[in-house]
Amino acid sequence: MKKAVQFTWVASIDLLLDAILGTLWLAIMLTLLFTGLGLIPVLGIGVLLIFAMVSLTRFTSAVERGRANALYELDLVEPPRRPSTGTGFARVVSTAVIDLTSSATWRTLLHHLASSVLGYLAMTWLFWAITTAVMLFTYPLPGSLNASWLARLVHGWLGDSGGVFAILLGVALIIAAPVVIYFAGRFDRGVLAPLLGPPVVEELTQRIETLSDARQGAVDAATTERLRIERDLHDGVQPRLVAVAMTLGMARNKFESDPQQALTLLERAHDETKDAITELRQLARGIHPAVLTDRGLDASLSALASRCAVPTTISFALPTRPAPEVEAVIYFTVAEALTNVSKHSEARSCQVDVRFTGHSVLATVTDDGRGGARIPRAAGGLSGMRDRVRSASGTLTINSPEGGPTVVTVEVPCAL
């Protein structure tokens, strides 16, 4: 009983806010939607209004989820939305188009409609119940006509027995008010998760798509890395080892006829062997640097910044070390970004910022170069960065207008 009374009070607050906020959200969105539809023939201006309405649903649904979580102690989360692969202005447009075709947008609009109607009806019932209660206190006993308009009206209909009927009717309205609010609150609470949260089918579908994309990203990243290692071995270490073998062969042939020349050739082979070992060590560092394993992301990024040709500052704010796979993704993405800054940006300075957002690790690489960076279709470079990030279910965005600056943002889901 105590819980029912407590829920009724909470539902009263929620339904009152539903009547106010739901009507406000609905009025704004329907105005934008129908005005946008009417203005589409006018240079496509209406499309901007429709996009504005779609973008507004992100804000309103977040407000409604926060209110529902606070009042009803729910744990509603934002429905999964398909990320955009565009950059710059194309990303804004593609995001709006994705949201326009997403069921989450239209479910949010349906929630505002349902909540406004439900809140209005419940508050109307409560208003009339309170009004009736006030009038009953001023209604005289049967036989007296010095009463309000309601008393005179009922008396005119039912005569002297109208007073008793009015009292019974008022009592019924008052008793029914909390019952109506209770069940209206239950209904409102019941539709919150289906309309504002992720539906089970869509959530599972989105999760399958995300995992499939991550798997493909891992495959592509592994293929790119394998080709890079193969190329480095073929073009770097292999020729050196071949040269060592040839030098040792010549030294063997000269060993009896010209010992001094054979000694010179052995010294050359020794030097070439050390160079090959150095290249193999650098190649191994490119696969997974030891400093990343031993000292973590902060130290390894500082080492990258010290070797970058462009002066680079590091801003690092992680409470604890993330998972090794997250560290590897962030490290190699930042390393590739700094390599591109050194080779192509003509920048004078660069900043790397790594922080924890509460549910993911966010890394941003910003340079003041000439801009114009794009993700190519071919493997390698920025495309390899994207595949590596996809393999960890993360997102990579590049904002690089002509003339700069270039901002590379990497976000990888992680729980610290």
Side-chain angles (χ1 to χ4, degrees), residues 322-323 326 356 358-361 412-416:
V326 175
F356 184 60
H359 55 80
S360 62
V361 176
V412 181
C414 179
L416 297 183

Side-chain angles (χ1 to χ4, degrees), residues 329-361:
V329 169
I330 297 295
Y331 172 84
F332 285 109
T333 305
V334 172
E336 185 65 35
L338 292 181
T339 299
N340 291 331
V341 169
S342 301
K343 290 182 177 180
H344 310 296
S345 70
E346 301 178 3
R348 295 185 299 274
S349 64
C350 181
Q351 298 82 38
V352 177
D353 176 71
V354 180
R355 53 190 173 87
F356 184 60
T357 65
H359 55 80
S360 62
V361 176

Side-chain angles (χ1 to χ4, degrees), residues 64-108:
E64 292 298 308
R65 274 192 301 273
R67 181 164 65 87
N69 291 341
L71 289 176
Y72 291 125
E73 298 181 353
L74 299 176
D75 191 22
L76 297 178
V77 296
E78 182 179 3
R81 296 177 186 258
R82 193 167 69 253
S84 171
T85 57
T87 59
F89 181 72
R91 177 177 177 81
V92 176
V93 175
S94 60
T95 299
V97 172
I98 290 172
D99 286 347
L100 184 61
T101 58
S102 172
S103 68
T105 298
W106 302 104
R107 285 188 288 111
T108 299

Side-chain angles (χ1 to χ4, degrees), residues 73-363:
E73 298 181 353
L74 299 176
D75 191 22
L76 297 178
V77 296
E78 182 179 3
R81 296 177 186 258
R82 193 167 69 253
S84 171
T85 57
T87 59
F89 181 72
R91 177 177 177 81
V92 176
V93 175
S94 60
T95 299
V97 172
I98 290 172
D99 286 347
L100 184 61
T101 58
S102 172
S103 68
T105 298
W106 302 104
R107 285 188 288 111
T108 299
L109 190 61
L110 181 59
H111 168 268
H112 297 336
L113 174 62
S115 65
S116 61
V117 172
L118 197 62
Y120 175 77
L121 293 177
M123 289 301 103
T124 300
W125 186 291
L126 182 61
F127 170 78
W128 281 110
I130 294 174
T131 303
T132 304
V134 172
M135 288 183 176
L136 284 177
F137 279 109
T138 64
Y139 192 83
L141 293 174
S144 175
L145 294 180
N146 58 338
S148 63
W149 64 270
L150 178 62
R152 294 180 184 275
L153 180 61
V154 174
H155 186 275
W157 286 348
L158 301 176
D160 291 340
S161 63
V164 177
F165 176 80
I167 292 175
L168 294 176
L169 178 61
V171 170
L173 284 173
I174 295 171
I175 293 176
V179 177
V180 169
I181 291 176
Y182 177 84
F183 283 103
R186 284 294 181 187
F187 179 80
D188 185 46
R189 186 182 186 274
V191 301
L192 284 171
L195 295 181
L196 293 181
V200 176
V201 174
E202 182 175 324
E203 183 181 15
L204 292 177
T205 302
Q206 183 67 33
R207 184 60 179 163
I208 291 172
E209 291 179 356
T210 302
L211 292 176
S212 298
D213 184 69
R215 176 185 175 280
Q216 187 60 45
V219 172
D220 294 341
T223 300
T224 301
E225 189 70 8
R226 177 180 59 78
L227 293 175
R228 182 187 68 82
I229 295 173
E230 180 182 353
R231 184 176 62 251
D232 290 345
L233 289 173
H234 182 273
D235 298 341
V237 179
Q238 180 178 325
R240 288 189 179 278
L241 293 178
V242 171
V244 169
M246 293 177 62
T247 303
L248 288 175
M250 290 187 293
R252 183 183 57 186
N253 295 332
K254 294 284 187 179
F255 186 75
E256 294 183 358
S257 60
D258 192 348
Q260 187 62 36
Q261 182 66 21
L263 181 61
T264 302
L265 292 172
L266 287 175
E267 291 177 351
R268 185 194 303 174
H270 182 255
D271 293 338
E272 290 176 348
T273 303
K274 290 192 295 183
D275 291 340
I277 293 173
T278 301
E279 284 200 19
L280 284 173
R281 187 179 293 116
Q282 292 175 348
L283 181 60
R285 186 184 298 120
I287 298 173
H288 194 86
V291 66
L292 180 61
T293 302
D294 298 337
R295 300 176 57 191
L297 199 55
D298 190 7
S300 59
L301 292 182
S302 299
L304 284 177
S306 66
R307 296 195 299 267
C308 184
V310 177
T312 302
T313 58
I314 301 291
S315 175
F316 191 87
L318 294 183
T320 58
R321 287 188 63 172
E325 55 270 18
V326 175
E327 283 189 329
V329 169
I330 297 295
Y331 172 84
F332 285 109
T333 305
V334 172
E336 185 65 35
L338 292 181
T339 299
N340 291 331
V341 169
S342 301
K343 290 182 177 180
H344 310 296
S345 70
E346 301 178 3
R348 295 185 299 274
S349 64
C350 181
Q351 298 82 38
V352 177
D353 176 71
V354 180
R355 53 190 173 87
F356 184 60
T357 65
H359 55 80
S360 62
V361 176
L362 183 68

